[in-house]
Every structure is written in C-alpha cells, then in structure tokens.
C-alpha cells in the first residue's frame, strides 16, 4: 500500500483493506465480500480507527444492498438491509462515526445498491478532504500553543492513514509538522492491550521518516515532568456537545497529567466524530472487550488461570482538560 493509497477501498464486489492485526510484521490484504466479513473485521480490529470503521460500515451497507436488493426483491430488500445495518452498528459501540456512516448509507437504499455504494465512496472522498483541512487547522493550533522550536510531541493509539482514508487526524498533524521541520521527536504510547501505538503508529512514523521513541503507557507523566513533551495530540471516537471526548483508554490519564504540567492537549477529529445529541460524555457507551486481551498476549497467558480483567477500550476526557478540539470546520476551544 503506497502512502497515497487509502487504507480501504471498493474493488468490484469487495472492500479491500490492509489487515491491521497483522502489522507491522505482515502486509496482509483482506477482501471483505459479505456483511459478516465486515462485522468480523471491525470487531477484531482488522479495520479500526473511528473514521475507517465508519467507511467500512457504509460499504458494508452497500454489500448488503447488492445482496438483497436485486431487481424484483424490492419488497423485502429495505428490511433485510436495515437488519444488516443494525448488526454493523453493533460491531463496536463507542465510535459514533460507525452509526453515522451506516445511517447515511442506509438513506440511499430506496434508490438501489449502486446509490448506496455511491454514498459510501462519497464519504471516503469527504474523509480525504476533511483530513487535509483539519490537519491545516491543527498544525496552526499546535504552533499557536507551543514554543518556537522543533517540538517534542506525544501521541496515543493510532490516528494516521490506517485509521482514516487519507493522512489521518492527530498523526496526520504530527507528520505535517515534521514535514515543516517542526518536530524534534514523537513519543508514542504503546497502547495496551492491543498495541496500536507500538504496532501501527511506530510503523507509520517510520514510513514517514519522523523521529520517534516508543514508551509504555505508564511513562508519559514522567516524560512530561522531565520536559520531554511540548504538546499532546490525540484523536477521538465520540465527542459530546459540551466537548467531552471519548478516545482510546489511557487518553484521560494523559490529559490529567498534561493539565498538571500545563502542557497543551489537542484533539484532532472530523465533524463526524461529534455526537451533539449527548449533552456530555457521561452517556457515551464504552466498549468493554474480552478478558484475554489483558490476561495474556500473543496467545501466551501472563496472568494466573481464572484471573478476571477490567478491559474498557475507551475512556472519556472531560472538556475542561482539553486545550482545543480541531476538526475540518476549525477549532472548538475550551479554556483550562
Ligand atoms: O480501538 P481502536 O484502535 O479502534 O481505537 C482507535 C482510537 O481510539 C483512535 O484514537 C480514534 O478512533 C481516532 S482514529 C483517527
């Protein structure tokens, strides 16, 4: 997958994507041809990152429409596609982009399967444009809040081209800053338990030639206290009306530590990550994942047999800990 190619695309009768479970050691291409394939890919994080799962979900609705909405099947077609759409949305509950994109694709079902596919590919193009625009706003925001020298920035999880259709959100911003000569070093949190930082962000930064070091998820507060962090940049899975942000587990503790050290904390996410139906973050559904992601790794048990785990995939950072939330529409500012 050359850098300019989107992380997922439609090809003939399938969604083609890079299997993120296999990275960085194997470049395995997946062809998803059924709704069940798409659900499994989203649930197991073969496709992951809020914008990417939204796009996969929308294309999943197209797969469903092509299956159920053959000429002459009109009566049952919409009901069958709606059921598939509900199953797609349930694959991961926290990122609002998934439900948003699936509903948008569903709106075109009365016009037929090709119209659904057209809507999904339009969303992919919009994500590419949104990435570029929000990165421009986010670069300006970071530079306005940081010293005038090459920066040490910290990021968490993966918010790059693997998680979107183009350059990414927070990671796209970091790469753009590096291209402008404004990055001294990126500290990458490894992102337990599935290691999106270690496996994916480190891979993308190496690909882009940006200097970086990996740290365990408990190291950032120490790094901040030693002056190794000028700014924290992260993405979002759902943003409530008051600016509370759900993102990868560990984001909240980064924001607490950054506030303590008066370090700017910037969230970069598309408008499709906003859920203004929720007044604040307390009603955001946080996905809880299997115990065995925590009690072992790579098929090897690390905890005693029978150990139970607390394994939320996301947490909610209160708006008052966030310096700015940046989207393709510009900067949503919060004082802290
Ligand atoms: O569980 P994941 O890997 O899908 O979690 C992803 C994140 O938390 C990202 O920060 C978020 O989706 C933004 S991706 C541009």
């Amino acid at each position: 997958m050359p850098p300019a190619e989107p992380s997922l695309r439609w090809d003939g009768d399938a969604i083609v994507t890079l299997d993120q479970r296999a990275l960085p050691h194997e470049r395995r291409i997946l062809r998803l041809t059924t709704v069940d394939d798409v659900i499994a890919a989203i649930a197991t994080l073969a496709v992951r990152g809020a914008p990417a799962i939204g796009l996969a979900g929308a294309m999943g609705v197209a797969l469903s429409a092509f299956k159920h909405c053959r000429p002459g099947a009109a009566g049952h077609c919409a009901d069958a596609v709606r059921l598939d759409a509900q199953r797609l949305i349930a694959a991961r509950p926290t990122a609002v982009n998934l439900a948003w994109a699936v509903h948008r694709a569903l709106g075109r079902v009365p016009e037929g399967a090709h119209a659904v596919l057209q809507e999904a590919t339009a969303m992919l193009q919009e994500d590419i444009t949104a990435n570029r625009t929000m990165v421009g706003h986010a670069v300006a925001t970071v530079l306005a809040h940081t010293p005038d020298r090459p920066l040490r920035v910290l990021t968490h999880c993966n918010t790059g081209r693997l998680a979107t259709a183009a350059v990414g959100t927070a990671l796209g911003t970091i790469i753009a800053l590096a291209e402008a000569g404004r990055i001294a070093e990126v500290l990458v949190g490894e992102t337990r338990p599935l290691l999106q930082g270690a496996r994916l962000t480190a891979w993308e930064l190496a690909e882009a030639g940006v200097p970086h070091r990996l740290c365990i998820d408990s190291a950032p507060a120490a790094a901040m206290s030693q002056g190794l962090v000028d700014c924290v940049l992260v993405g979002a899975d759902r943003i409530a009306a008051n600016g509370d942000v759900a993102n990868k587990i560990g984001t909240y503790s980064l924001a607490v530590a950054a506030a303590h050290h008066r370090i700017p904390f910037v969230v970069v996410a598309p408008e499709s990550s906003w859920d203004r139906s929720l007044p604040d973050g307390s009603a955001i559904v946080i996905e809880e994942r299997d115990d065995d992601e925590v009690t072992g790794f790579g098929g090897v048990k690390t905890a005693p047999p029978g150990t139970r785990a607390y394994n939320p995939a996301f947490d909610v950072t209160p708006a008052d800990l966030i310096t700015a939330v940046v989207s393709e529409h510009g900067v949503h500012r919060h004082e802290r």
Side-chain angles (χ1 to χ4, degrees):
M1 193 169 69
E5 190 183 340
S7 62
L8 81 178
R9 64 189 163 84
W10 183 268
D11 179 35
D13 58 354
I15 303 167
V16 176
T17 186
L18 192 55
D19 186 346
Q20 298 192 41
R21 297 165 302 190
L23 287 171
H25 302 300
E26 191 189 337
R27 289 166 92 100
R28 187 193 300 155
I29 300 294
L30 291 179
R31 280 185 74 85
L32 313 175
T33 57
T34 67
V35 169
D36 286 341
D37 285 351
V38 180
I39 291 169
I42 291 173
T44 61
L45 276 63
V47 178
R48 51 145 298 283
I53 64 174
L55 296 170
M59 290 185 195
V61 178
L63 286 173
S64 176
F66 279 114
K67 177 177 174 192
H68 296 294
C69 302
R70 297 211 171 88
H76 306 291
C77 137
D79 289 346
V81 178
R82 245 193 309 276
L83 282 176
D84 279 345
Q86 280 164 11
R87 294 195 303 121
L88 282 161
I89 289 170
R92 294 196 81 189
T94 303
V96 70
N97 311 62
L98 178 56
W100 170 82
V102 165
H103 282 299
R104 197 171 138 183
L106 210 46
R108 299 291 299 274
V109 171
E111 298 164 68
H114 285 284
V116 177
L117 179 59
Q118 197 180 54
E119 193 69 23
T121 47
M123 277 184 251
L124 194 138
Q125 287 307 318
E126 287 168 25
D127 193 58
I128 294 171
T129 310
N131 272 206
R132 292 190 184 127
T133 312
M134 88 181 80
V135 161
H137 293 311
V139 164
T141 304
V142 170
L143 295 181
H145 285 86
T146 49
D148 186 15
R149 55 168 163 70
L151 301 169
R152 280 94 31 109
V153 302
L154 185 140
T155 193
H156 189 57
C157 198
N158 173 267
T159 58
R161 70 187 185 87
L162 293 167
T164 66
V167 293
T169 60
L171 190 57
T173 304
I174 291 168
I175 291 171
L177 283 163
E179 285 165 359
R182 299 305 303 266
I183 292 291
E185 181 181 65
V186 185
L187 265 186
V188 182
E190 64 175 349
T191 319
R192 280 281 294 155
L194 298 180
L195 303 184
Q196 291 91 329
R199 296 187 302 104
L200 309 177
T201 298
W203 183 77
E204 286 199 44
L205 286 169
E207 179 185 65
V210 179
H212 59 282
R213 277 193 288 172
L214 191 62
C215 65
I216 60 172
D217 292 339
S218 38
M224 290 178 197
S225 76
Q226 289 166 19
L228 296 178
V229 181
D230 296 309
C231 184
V232 179
L233 288 110
V234 294
D237 288 85
R238 191 180 293 243
I239 309 171
N242 73 337
D244 290 353
V245 169
N247 190 50
K248 179 52 57 189
I249 186 73
T251 302
Y252 177 30
S253 52
L254 290 177
V256 170
H260 179 77
H261 292 284
R262 300 194 199 296
I263 292 167
F265 188 94
V266 177
V267 175
V268 191
E271 286 294 315
S272 56
S273 296
W274 281 81
D275 180 355
R276 293 184 174 86
S277 75
L278 300 180
D280 60 51
S282 61
I284 296 176
V285 175
I286 299 295
E287 176 186 0
E288 295 249 4
R289 294 185 62 86
D290 284 349
D291 289 7
D292 57 13
E293 290 181 351
V294 177
T295 57
F297 190 75
V300 178
K301 278 280 174 201
T302 51
T307 303
R308 293 177 54 230
Y310 168 60
N311 188 18
F314 303 95
D315 58 25
V316 177
T317 299
D320 63 0
L321 294 178
I322 297 169
T323 309
V325 181
V326 184
S327 78
E328 67 273 28
H329 288 183
V331 181
H332 305 260
R333 224 169 263 286
H334 301 281
E335 296 305 322
R336 85 143 128 89

